mmCIF file with all atom_site columns, all heavy atoms in Angstrom:
data_model
loop_
_atom_site.group_PDB
_atom_site.id
_atom_site.type_symbol
_atom_site.label_atom_id
_atom_site.label_alt_id
_atom_site.label_comp_id
_atom_site.label_asym_id
_atom_site.label_entity_id
_atom_site.label_seq_id
_atom_site.pdbx_PDB_ins_code
_atom_site.Cartn_x
_atom_site.Cartn_y
_atom_site.Cartn_z
_atom_site.occupancy
_atom_site.B_iso_or_equiv
_atom_site.pdbx_formal_charge
_atom_site.auth_seq_id
_atom_site.auth_comp_id
_atom_site.auth_asym_id
_atom_site.auth_atom_id
_atom_site.pdbx_PDB_model_num
ATOM 1  N N   . GLU A 1 136 ? -7.892  3.081  3.008  1.00 0.00 ? 139 GLU A N   1
ATOM 2  C CA  . GLU A 1 136 ? -8.337  2.078  2.110  1.00 0.00 ? 139 GLU A CA  1
ATOM 3  C C   . GLU A 1 136 ? -9.770  1.618  2.240  1.00 0.00 ? 139 GLU A C   1
ATOM 4  O O   . GLU A 1 136 ? -10.503 1.427  1.288  1.00 0.00 ? 139 GLU A O   1
ATOM 5  C CB  . GLU A 1 136 ? -7.419  0.808  2.213  1.00 0.00 ? 139 GLU A CB  1
ATOM 6  C CG  . GLU A 1 136 ? -7.590  -0.252 1.196  1.00 0.00 ? 139 GLU A CG  1
ATOM 7  C CD  . GLU A 1 136 ? -6.580  -1.446 1.464  1.00 0.00 ? 139 GLU A CD  1
ATOM 8  O OE1 . GLU A 1 136 ? -6.324  -1.749 2.628  1.00 0.00 ? 139 GLU A OE1 1
ATOM 9  O OE2 . GLU A 1 136 ? -6.078  -1.915 0.443  1.00 0.00 ? 139 GLU A OE2 1
ATOM 10 N N   . SER A 1 137 ? -10.210 1.400  3.472  1.00 0.00 ? 140 SER A N   1
ATOM 11 C CA  . SER A 1 137 ? -11.529 1.018  3.824  1.00 0.00 ? 140 SER A CA  1
ATOM 12 C C   . SER A 1 137 ? -12.599 2.002  3.225  1.00 0.00 ? 140 SER A C   1
ATOM 13 O O   . SER A 1 137 ? -13.660 1.684  2.895  1.00 0.00 ? 140 SER A O   1
ATOM 14 C CB  . SER A 1 137 ? -11.688 0.831  5.341  1.00 0.00 ? 140 SER A CB  1
ATOM 15 O OG  . SER A 1 137 ? -13.060 0.630  5.637  1.00 0.00 ? 140 SER A OG  1
ATOM 16 N N   . HIS A 1 138 ? -12.213 3.317  3.394  1.00 0.00 ? 141 HIS A N   1
ATOM 17 C CA  . HIS A 1 138 ? -13.160 4.371  2.903  1.00 0.00 ? 141 HIS A CA  1
ATOM 18 C C   . HIS A 1 138 ? -12.850 4.789  1.529  1.00 0.00 ? 141 HIS A C   1
ATOM 19 O O   . HIS A 1 138 ? -13.328 5.805  1.105  1.00 0.00 ? 141 HIS A O   1
ATOM 20 C CB  . HIS A 1 138 ? -13.032 5.572  3.917  1.00 0.00 ? 141 HIS A CB  1
ATOM 21 C CG  . HIS A 1 138 ? -13.774 5.271  5.100  1.00 0.00 ? 141 HIS A CG  1
ATOM 22 N ND1 . HIS A 1 138 ? -13.229 4.503  6.193  1.00 0.00 ? 141 HIS A ND1 1
ATOM 23 C CD2 . HIS A 1 138 ? -15.004 5.626  5.654  1.00 0.00 ? 141 HIS A CD2 1
ATOM 24 C CE1 . HIS A 1 138 ? -14.015 4.365  7.166  1.00 0.00 ? 141 HIS A CE1 1
ATOM 25 N NE2 . HIS A 1 138 ? -15.136 4.964  6.891  1.00 0.00 ? 141 HIS A NE2 1
ATOM 26 N N   . ARG A 1 139 ? -12.022 3.998  0.857  1.00 0.00 ? 142 ARG A N   1
ATOM 27 C CA  . ARG A 1 139 ? -11.717 4.233  -0.580 1.00 0.00 ? 142 ARG A CA  1
ATOM 28 C C   . ARG A 1 139 ? -11.127 5.753  -0.886 1.00 0.00 ? 142 ARG A C   1
ATOM 29 O O   . ARG A 1 139 ? -11.356 6.356  -1.917 1.00 0.00 ? 142 ARG A O   1
ATOM 30 C CB  . ARG A 1 139 ? -12.878 4.023  -1.473 1.00 0.00 ? 142 ARG A CB  1
ATOM 31 C CG  . ARG A 1 139 ? -13.280 2.566  -1.475 1.00 0.00 ? 142 ARG A CG  1
ATOM 32 C CD  . ARG A 1 139 ? -14.354 2.240  -2.428 1.00 0.00 ? 142 ARG A CD  1
ATOM 33 N NE  . ARG A 1 139 ? -14.811 0.833  -2.547 1.00 0.00 ? 142 ARG A NE  1
ATOM 34 C CZ  . ARG A 1 139 ? -14.761 -0.146 -1.766 1.00 0.00 ? 142 ARG A CZ  1
ATOM 35 N NH1 . ARG A 1 139 ? -14.415 0.040  -0.538 1.00 0.00 ? 142 ARG A NH1 1
ATOM 36 N NH2 . ARG A 1 139 ? -15.250 -1.325 -2.102 1.00 0.00 ? 142 ARG A NH2 1
ATOM 37 N N   . ILE A 1 140 ? -10.347 6.198  0.248  1.00 0.00 ? 143 ILE A N   1
ATOM 38 C CA  . ILE A 1 140 ? -9.599  7.441  0.016  1.00 0.00 ? 143 ILE A CA  1
ATOM 39 C C   . ILE A 1 140 ? -8.413  7.235  -0.768 1.00 0.00 ? 143 ILE A C   1
ATOM 40 O O   . ILE A 1 140 ? -7.832  8.200  -1.378 1.00 0.00 ? 143 ILE A O   1
ATOM 41 C CB  . ILE A 1 140 ? -9.357  8.101  1.429  1.00 0.00 ? 143 ILE A CB  1
ATOM 42 C CG1 . ILE A 1 140 ? -10.805 8.411  2.078  1.00 0.00 ? 143 ILE A CG1 1
ATOM 43 C CG2 . ILE A 1 140 ? -8.723  9.442  1.346  1.00 0.00 ? 143 ILE A CG2 1
ATOM 44 C CD1 . ILE A 1 140 ? -10.712 8.812  3.525  1.00 0.00 ? 143 ILE A CD1 1
ATOM 45 N N   . THR A 1 141 ? -7.906  6.068  -0.703 1.00 0.00 ? 144 THR A N   1
ATOM 46 C CA  . THR A 1 141 ? -6.693  5.615  -1.417 1.00 0.00 ? 144 THR A CA  1
ATOM 47 C C   . THR A 1 141 ? -6.953  4.317  -2.147 1.00 0.00 ? 144 THR A C   1
ATOM 48 O O   . THR A 1 141 ? -7.890  3.526  -1.747 1.00 0.00 ? 144 THR A O   1
ATOM 49 C CB  . THR A 1 141 ? -5.447  5.579  -0.557 1.00 0.00 ? 144 THR A CB  1
ATOM 50 O OG1 . THR A 1 141 ? -4.311  5.512  -1.295 1.00 0.00 ? 144 THR A OG1 1
ATOM 51 C CG2 . THR A 1 141 ? -5.492  4.379  0.448  1.00 0.00 ? 144 THR A CG2 1
ATOM 52 N N   . GLU A 1 142 ? -6.177  3.980  -3.115 1.00 0.00 ? 145 GLU A N   1
ATOM 53 C CA  . GLU A 1 142 ? -6.496  2.907  -4.004 1.00 0.00 ? 145 GLU A CA  1
ATOM 54 C C   . GLU A 1 142 ? -6.269  1.534  -3.214 1.00 0.00 ? 145 GLU A C   1
ATOM 55 O O   . GLU A 1 142 ? -7.054  0.670  -3.423 1.00 0.00 ? 145 GLU A O   1
ATOM 56 C CB  . GLU A 1 142 ? -5.547  2.942  -5.190 1.00 0.00 ? 145 GLU A CB  1
ATOM 57 C CG  . GLU A 1 142 ? -5.606  1.774  -6.088 1.00 0.00 ? 145 GLU A CG  1
ATOM 58 C CD  . GLU A 1 142 ? -4.579  1.675  -7.207 1.00 0.00 ? 145 GLU A CD  1
ATOM 59 O OE1 . GLU A 1 142 ? -4.344  2.737  -7.782 1.00 0.00 ? 145 GLU A OE1 1
ATOM 60 O OE2 . GLU A 1 142 ? -4.092  0.698  -7.542 1.00 0.00 ? 145 GLU A OE2 1
ATOM 61 N N   . GLY A 1 143 ? -5.229  1.383  -2.459 1.00 0.00 ? 146 GLY A N   1
ATOM 62 C CA  . GLY A 1 143 ? -4.940  0.163  -1.888 1.00 0.00 ? 146 GLY A CA  1
ATOM 63 C C   . GLY A 1 143 ? -4.481  -0.952 -2.793 1.00 0.00 ? 146 GLY A C   1
ATOM 64 O O   . GLY A 1 143 ? -4.097  -0.747 -3.855 1.00 0.00 ? 146 GLY A O   1
ATOM 65 N N   . THR A 1 144 ? -4.709  -2.220 -2.231 1.00 0.00 ? 147 THR A N   1
ATOM 66 C CA  . THR A 1 144 ? -4.229  -3.414 -3.069 1.00 0.00 ? 147 THR A CA  1
ATOM 67 C C   . THR A 1 144 ? -5.413  -4.333 -3.309 1.00 0.00 ? 147 THR A C   1
ATOM 68 O O   . THR A 1 144 ? -5.173  -5.499 -3.517 1.00 0.00 ? 147 THR A O   1
ATOM 69 C CB  . THR A 1 144 ? -3.105  -4.127 -2.344 1.00 0.00 ? 147 THR A CB  1
ATOM 70 O OG1 . THR A 1 144 ? -3.636  -4.417 -0.993 1.00 0.00 ? 147 THR A OG1 1
ATOM 71 C CG2 . THR A 1 144 ? -1.925  -3.319 -2.082 1.00 0.00 ? 147 THR A CG2 1
ATOM 72 N N   . ALA A 1 145 ? -6.567  -3.896 -3.363 1.00 0.00 ? 148 ALA A N   1
ATOM 73 C CA  . ALA A 1 145 ? -7.706  -4.737 -3.510 1.00 0.00 ? 148 ALA A CA  1
ATOM 74 C C   . ALA A 1 145 ? -7.762  -5.470 -4.896 1.00 0.00 ? 148 ALA A C   1
ATOM 75 O O   . ALA A 1 145 ? -8.538  -6.406 -5.028 1.00 0.00 ? 148 ALA A O   1
ATOM 76 C CB  . ALA A 1 145 ? -9.028  -3.896 -3.325 1.00 0.00 ? 148 ALA A CB  1
ATOM 77 N N   . GLY A 1 146 ? -6.886  -5.162 -5.777 1.00 0.00 ? 149 GLY A N   1
ATOM 78 C CA  . GLY A 1 146 ? -6.973  -5.836 -7.073 1.00 0.00 ? 149 GLY A CA  1
ATOM 79 C C   . GLY A 1 146 ? -6.523  -7.290 -7.018 1.00 0.00 ? 149 GLY A C   1
ATOM 80 O O   . GLY A 1 146 ? -6.689  -7.991 -8.001 1.00 0.00 ? 149 GLY A O   1
#
Side-chain angles (χ1 to χ4, degrees):
E139 186 178 39
S140 172
H141 286 77
R142 296 187 174 30
I143 298 170
T144 192
E145 177 185 323
T147 55

